[in-house]
Amino acid sequence: MELVARRAVQIDLALSTELTSVAHLFRRYRDRPISLADACLVRMTEIFDPSVVLTLDANFLIYRRFGRRTIPVLHPDSH
């Protein structure tokens, strides 16, 4: 919460207006479990550019934004 208070982390997604895009991500990754939180983060990287996702979730090394573009991540396995 401190990161949000300092505005180091931005959470600015109105799911009601992004529902179609988020639902598309669920369909796209139907063979890989994608949570609502993950789908929202992927969508936020499409809306807010540049952006970087800080995560321990290795799925973000597989998820793509705008169909084929990699998502910039800070992850222990990203070099």
Side-chain angles (χ1 to χ4, degrees), residues 16-64:
S16 59
T17 59
E18 297 298 332
L19 193 56
T20 300
S21 298
V22 171
H24 172 75
L25 290 167
F26 273 96
R27 287 189 302 277
R28 179 153 198 233
Y29 293 104
R30 67 183 165 270
D31 61 332
R32 173 175 299 279
I34 187 169
S35 69
L36 177 59
D38 288 356
C40 288
L41 284 170
V42 172
R43 181 62 184 141
M44 287 174 67
T45 67
E46 295 173 338
I47 296 169
F48 302 105
D49 192 27
S51 60
V52 177
V53 176
L54 173 63
T55 184
L56 297 175
D57 186 342
N59 286 331
F60 279 91
L61 302 174
I62 297 166
Y63 297 150
R64 297 289 181 260

Side-chain angles (χ1 to χ4, degrees), residues 66-78:
F66 300 116
R68 296 182 182 222
R69 292 177 54 194
T70 58
I71 296 171
V73 296
L74 290 176
H75 182 276
D77 290 336
S78 64

